[in-house]
Amino acid sequence: MRVLVVEDFEVLARSIGTGLRHEGMAVDVVLDGTAALDRLAVTRYAVVILDRDLPGVHGDEICRRLAHGRCETRVLMLTASDTIEDRVNGLSLGADDYLSKPFAFAELVARVRALARRATPPVPPILASGDITLDPARRTVFRAGRRLELSPKEFSLLECLLATPGLVISTEELLERVWDEAADPFSSAVKHTMHRLRAKLGDPPVIETIREGGYRIGSS
């Protein structure tokens, strides 16, 4: 899941970004509305965490543009105001959810995950291929009844492949969906993480490398 955090209070923005990365999400952080629109023009996000009172372009205007464009990106609006009128106004602009400051981080994570499920096509609650099963909600992976301990990036790579069995996912798409702005597009991050994932999955091999294409799991 890729998330964009738009918050002008830098300490809070960086803190949210760090926390969500620890939850296995790919997170980009910007501090003003103009930078947010630039990112949204070139990157597909599942969820945008959007502060209302932003410099450059106001958060309300960003929300209007997303709603008008009818994109699949979901908006979680943040505000320091907790009045009913303010919440109603935010939702009427096209926001999908609303959270007032200060907030509990666990609640933020739960709301982001709920919005992300609405932003993407529904998938089975348990993903499986052969003797491999992955539970996105519990963040667990088993092979032949044996639990595997995967890093967040390894888990996300496997989840992407299991969600589209038989289909080839390119290295570029995996980089976009699993990593974030900190990733070097010319690095071997996907290759190295895939190598570790395959080692943990063990034999027989289940992830196929498609020459000049990407990776695939399961039969086409």
Side-chain angles (χ1 to χ4, degrees):
M1 167 194 329
R2 190 155 185 178
V3 178
L4 177 64
V5 177
V6 190
E7 163 65 58
D8 64 327
F9 181 33
E10 186 171 1
V11 173
L12 177 59
R14 302 297 179 193
S15 177
I16 292 173
T18 299
L20 293 181
R21 290 187 186 104
H22 287 160
E23 293 292 326
M25 304 180 198
V27 186
D28 295 341
V29 176
V30 295
L31 306 178
D32 63 74
T34 303
L37 290 178
D38 290 343
R39 291 300 181 89
L40 289 164
V42 298
T43 304
R44 180 179 60 188
Y45 293 98
V47 179
V48 174
I49 300 174
L50 180 66
D51 185 37
R52 289 193 74 176
D53 191 15
L54 291 170
V57 180
H58 197 276
D60 289 357
E61 177 60 22
I62 295 173
C63 193
R64 284 194 197 94
R65 295 192 191 187
L66 286 171
H68 181 72
R70 298 181 179 180
C71 66
E72 295 180 351
T73 299
R74 302 299 180 179
V75 176
L76 173 58
M77 188 169 277
L78 300 179
T79 182
S81 176
D82 192 27
T83 66
I84 293 177
E85 181 181 4
D86 200 52
R87 292 198 298 270
V88 169
N89 288 339
L91 294 171
S92 68
L93 291 168
D96 299 281
D97 200 357
Y98 195 95
L99 191 60
S100 58
K101 305 174 186 176
F103 51 81
F105 184 73
E107 181 179 5
L108 175 70
V109 171
R111 288 174 181 262
V112 169
R113 291 198 186 281
L115 289 177
R117 288 194 293 270
R118 293 164 53 187
T120 55
V123 297
I126 301 295
L127 301 174
S129 178
D131 60 356
I132 297 173
T133 58
L134 180 149
D135 186 333
R138 293 182 174 85
R139 308 289 293 177
T140 57
V141 177
F142 290 85
R143 181 163 198 187
R146 179 175 63 90
R147 181 165 180 169
L148 307 179
E149 298 299 330
L150 304 184
S151 72
K153 288 292 186 286
E154 292 160 1
F155 186 96
S156 295
L157 278 182
L158 183 59
E159 185 178 13
C160 286
L161 293 169
L162 289 174
T164 54
L167 299 181
V168 177
I169 303 183
S170 69
T171 299
E172 291 76 15
E173 184 175 356
L174 288 171
L175 193 65
E176 178 181 332
R177 292 173 62 180
V178 178
W179 277 263
D180 52 37
E181 63 185 356
D184 180 355
F186 301 105
S187 73
S188 300
V190 174
K191 180 180 179 181
H192 291 158
T193 305
M194 189 66 72
H195 177 76
R196 294 194 301 271
L197 174 60
R198 281 171 160 158
K200 291 182 179 181
L201 290 173
D203 293 322
V206 292
I207 299 176
E208 180 183 2
T209 299
I210 307 301
R211 184 177 177 84
E212 298 181 358
Y215 302 91
R216 176 173 63 196
I217 194 169
S219 58
S220 57

